[in-house]
């Protein structure tokens, strides 16, 4: 009997065939998707959703796990802490070292946090023993610094594919010996982004940076030292940089930095013309610039800063300045005495020059976005509406900012957006007129 003459299969035969072969038609719809489509769906899920999906079946667990551990972010602030706890993460990676190779980015402390419970500390101590890193754990109820370092270096040493590292709270005063193991775990990594936060002790960062030829983004706290040992040939692909002004003066020249953020320093003199002359030596024009002015800086610093930016960094398109003071929108220069200042501003405002924003924005030829933070207008921009109903001088409001924005766009045709973020305490004596 040939196939054409064969009788149709019975229901019993169909059930037996489906049971033996695991017919796809009986599987969940998501499992019938092509693998490349399933991967796109998994990548679009949030971390908590990936965790839930991985618990449904072995097949999805196999697909999800490499992506679940690809980007690890640790924070005690919600909602990030809901995804996983730091102690649980270290325990999982110690028990499953095959997962470490999938880690591409990490944000969190280098060692397990000090705020763990005694039970959590004892749990990690036992993990050190079971993984044969130690013969026995220390008798203390909490992890010792040596034990924490041993855990961390074991994990990060195996993260051969990691490209993005953000170590928070690296060195506290009680952990002066922590930087050496931190740098040792990173020496052989091909990082593209490195962020070092909360450095309590001076560290020789140049030795590590000399090994990072692929680094494109660098964010460092203060106290990094030995910049003189770093040559232009090192970190040749650096594009984004966040650091102090003094550090930027050493790192920017000769490198293709296009995005620069200068964190606040105590000495305003470093924001002088010499700094911007060094920044102008970037291998590519700086397009995005963020500057934080020192608190209680001398009058005129904002005006001089704008002048230096327009002269030495003329290609800036996106400019953010944290002012920490009042500004003026007038074109004509003024000298202000306490007799002409509103009552709310009289304290600590003795004869201060203040910034004429419109006068300084005119030289910019490429500026697209200007963001002024922690600031407020000194006087109203509407001349015939400067006195309030009670006869006192009117305090500027959003309408005055709208007028200022309109005039700024007229003087700077490339300007598309002018944003402002008001001072947290407008009128407080701590703010000075710039």
């Amino acid at each position: 009997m040939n196939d054409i003459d064969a009788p149709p299969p019975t229901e019993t035969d169909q059930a037996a065939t489906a049971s033996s072969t695991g017919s796809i038609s009986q599987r969940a719809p998501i499992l019938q998707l092509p693998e490349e489509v399933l991967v796109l769906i998994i990548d679009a899920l949030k971390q908590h959703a990936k965790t839930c999906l991985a618990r449904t079946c072995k097949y999805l667990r196999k697909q999800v796990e490499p992506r679940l551990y690809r980007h690890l972010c640790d924070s005690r602030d919600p909602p990030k802490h809901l995804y996983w706890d730091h102690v649980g993460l270290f325990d999982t990676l110690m028990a499953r070292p095959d997962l470490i190779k999938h880690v591409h980015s990490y944000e969190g402390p280098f060692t397990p946090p000090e705020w763990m419970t005694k039970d959590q500390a004892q749990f990690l101590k036992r993990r050190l023993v079971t993984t044969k890193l130690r013969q026995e754990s220390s008798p203390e109820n909490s992890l010792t610094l040596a034990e924490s370092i041993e855990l961390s270096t074991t994990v990060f040493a195996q993260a051969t594919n990691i490209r993005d590292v953000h170590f928070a709270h690296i060195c506290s005063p009680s952990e002066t010996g922590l930087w050496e193991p931190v740098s040792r775990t990173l020496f052989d990594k091909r990082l593209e982004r490195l962020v070092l936060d909360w450095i309590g002790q001076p560290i020789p960062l140049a030795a590590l940076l000399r090994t990072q030829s692929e680094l494109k983004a660098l964010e460092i706290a203060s106290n990094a030292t030995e910049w003189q040992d770093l040559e232009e040939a090192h970190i040749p692909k650096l594009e984004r940089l966040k650091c102090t002004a003094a550090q930027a003066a050493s790192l920017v020249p000769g490198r293709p930095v296009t995005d620069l953020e200068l964190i606040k320093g105590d000495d305003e003199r470093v924001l002088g013309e010499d700094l911007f002359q060094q920044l102008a030596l970037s291998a590519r024009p700086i397009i995005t610039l963020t500057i934080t002015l020192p608190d209680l800086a001398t009058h005129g610093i904002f005006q001089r800063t704008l002048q230096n930016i327009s002269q030495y960094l003329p290609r800036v398109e996106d400019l953010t300045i944290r002012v920490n003071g009042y500004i003026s929108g007038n074109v004509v220069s003024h000298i202000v005495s306490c007799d002409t200042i509103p009552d709310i501003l009289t304290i600590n405002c003795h004869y201060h020059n203040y910034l004429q924003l419109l006068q300084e924005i005119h030289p910019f030829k490429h500026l697209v976005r200007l963001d002024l933070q922690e600031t407020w207008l000194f006087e109203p921009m509407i001349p015939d509406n400067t006195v309030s109903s009670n006869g006192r001088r009117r305090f500027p409001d959003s309408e005055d900012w709208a007028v200022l924005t309109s005039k700024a766009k007229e003087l700077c045709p490339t300007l598309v957006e002018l944003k402002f973020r008001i001072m947290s305490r407008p009128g407080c004596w701590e703010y000075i007129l710039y």
Side-chain angles (χ1 to χ4, degrees):
M1 182 181 296
N2 56 39
D3 292 339
I4 297 178
D5 298 328
T10 64
E11 294 183 1
T12 302
D13 295 333
Q14 291 177 342
T17 302
S19 175
S20 61
T21 61
S23 175
I24 295 178
S25 62
Q26 293 185 350
R27 301 169 69 189
I30 191 172
L31 301 181
Q32 301 179 38
L33 295 174
E35 185 172 328
E36 57 272 17
V37 176
L38 183 59
V39 168
L40 293 176
I41 295 175
I42 295 173
D43 289 340
L45 296 177
K46 294 183 178 180
Q47 198 81 341
H48 182 63
K50 291 178 183 177
T51 303
C52 295
L53 185 62
R55 295 174 178 174
T56 56
C57 68
K58 293 182 178 179
Y59 175 75
L60 287 179
R61 183 185 184 91
K62 181 180 178 181
Q63 297 295 327
V64 171
E65 272 190 343
R67 292 161 182 83
L68 182 63
Y69 289 88
R70 178 169 295 178
H71 304 292
L72 301 178
C73 178
D74 179 37
S75 174
R76 280 175 286 177
D77 299 327
K80 292 180 181 178
H81 79 283
L82 297 177
Y83 297 156
W84 48 266
D85 67 278
H86 197 73
V87 176
L89 172 72
F90 267 78
D91 176 65
T92 300
L93 295 180
M94 292 286 288
R96 293 279 310 278
D98 58 296
L99 296 175
I100 303 178
K101 65 182 180 181
H102 299 297
V103 178
H104 283 206
S105 65
Y106 172 82
E107 177 183 351
F110 175 68
T111 57
E114 298 177 355
W115 41 265
M116 73 173 68
T117 65
K118 292 181 180 180
D119 291 339
Q120 290 175 323
Q122 291 297 325
F123 191 75
L124 288 182
K125 284 174 177 287
R126 288 193 296 269
R127 180 62 69 184
L128 281 172
V129 176
T130 56
T131 53
K132 299 181 180 181
L133 288 177
R134 281 178 171 259
Q135 297 298 324
E136 59 181 14
S137 61
S138 60
E140 291 86 352
N141 290 327
S142 60
L143 279 179
T144 64
L145 178 59
E147 290 173 331
S148 296
I149 292 176
E150 201 166 10
L151 274 170
S152 301
T153 53
T154 300
V155 170
F156 288 108
Q158 300 177 69
T160 55
N161 294 316
I162 196 167
R163 297 293 180 265
D164 187 330
V165 173
H166 182 167
F167 283 146
H169 310 291
I170 295 178
C171 300
S172 67
S174 62
E175 298 176 343
T176 55
L178 189 55
W179 171 247
E180 193 278 331
V182 170
S183 60
R184 187 174 65 245
T185 61
L186 298 178
F187 269 131
D188 60 342
K189 305 297 187 295
R190 301 183 62 184
L191 299 180
E192 296 180 0
R193 178 175 177 263
L194 175 62
V195 181
L196 303 176
D197 281 349
W198 204 261
I199 301 175
Q201 300 291 331
I203 58 173
L205 186 58
L208 172 61
L209 294 182
R210 285 197 293 268
T211 68
Q212 302 301 319
S213 59
E214 301 297 320
L215 194 67
K216 296 180 180 179
L218 175 64
E219 299 181 23
I220 52 179
S222 58
N223 297 329
T225 59
E226 300 183 10
W227 298 112
Q228 65 274 14
D229 298 333
L230 203 63
E231 301 176 359
E232 288 188 6
H234 300 135
I235 49 175
K237 299 182 180 181
L238 187 64
E239 298 176 353
R240 298 188 302 278
L241 177 63
K242 178 180 179 180
C243 60
T244 65
Q247 293 164 349
S250 299
L251 289 172
V252 170
R255 298 183 176 88
V257 177
T258 60
D259 188 336
L260 175 63
E261 179 176 352
L262 303 180
I263 61 178
K264 182 173 65 175
D266 296 329
D267 189 355
E268 64 181 75
R269 291 174 296 180
V270 298
L271 294 177
E273 187 174 7
D274 292 343
L275 166 66
F276 292 94
Q277 289 176 346
Q278 291 297 107
L279 300 183
L281 299 178
S282 174
R284 294 172 58 187
I286 294 178
I287 304 299
T288 303
L289 178 63
T290 301
I291 297 179
T292 299
L293 300 182
D295 294 329
L296 300 177
T298 57
H299 67 272
I301 182 175
F302 189 10
Q303 189 168 11
R304 292 192 299 272
T305 300
L306 283 179
Q307 292 171 349
N308 286 327
I309 294 173
S310 63
Q311 179 179 355
Y312 294 103
L313 307 176
R315 298 297 301 274
V316 168
E317 298 178 5
D318 194 334
L319 176 60
T320 300
I321 301 181
R322 188 180 178 92
V323 182
N324 296 315
Y326 289 87
I327 64 173
S328 170
N330 287 340
V331 177
V332 181
S333 179
H334 289 78
I335 298 294
V336 185
S337 69
C338 288
D339 295 335
T340 61
I341 300 177
D343 294 340
I344 195 173
L345 306 177
T346 54
I347 303 178
N348 202 30
C349 292
H350 221 37
Y351 293 99
H352 287 289
N353 283 317
Y354 55 92
L355 170 70
Q356 296 78 43
L357 177 62
L358 295 180
Q359 177 177 321
E360 302 304 336
I361 202 174
H362 179 66
F364 285 91
K365 303 301 180 184
H366 299 275
L367 188 62
V368 177
R369 288 171 294 277
L370 175 61
D371 188 357
L372 303 176
Q373 302 179 3
E374 283 295 319
T375 188
W376 196 250
L377 288 173
F378 169 68
E379 76 278 295
M381 291 296 299
I382 307 175
D384 56 350
N385 189 22
T386 58
V387 180
S388 62
S389 58
N390 59 9
R392 301 179 62 183
R393 184 171 178 177
R394 182 177 66 85
F395 196 73
D397 54 26
S398 57
E399 294 182 358
D400 298 289
W401 278 99
V403 173
L404 176 63
T405 301
S406 178
K407 291 185 177 181
K409 291 180 178 180
E410 292 179 4
L411 292 174
C412 183
T414 60
L415 186 64
V416 175
E417 182 180 24
L418 193 158
K419 298 194 299 183
F420 64 92
R421 301 180 188 180
I422 65 173
M423 294 182 290
S424 55
R425 292 173 292 174
C428 177
W429 66 271
E430 294 182 4
Y431 293 105
I432 297 179
L433 308 180
Y434 294 137

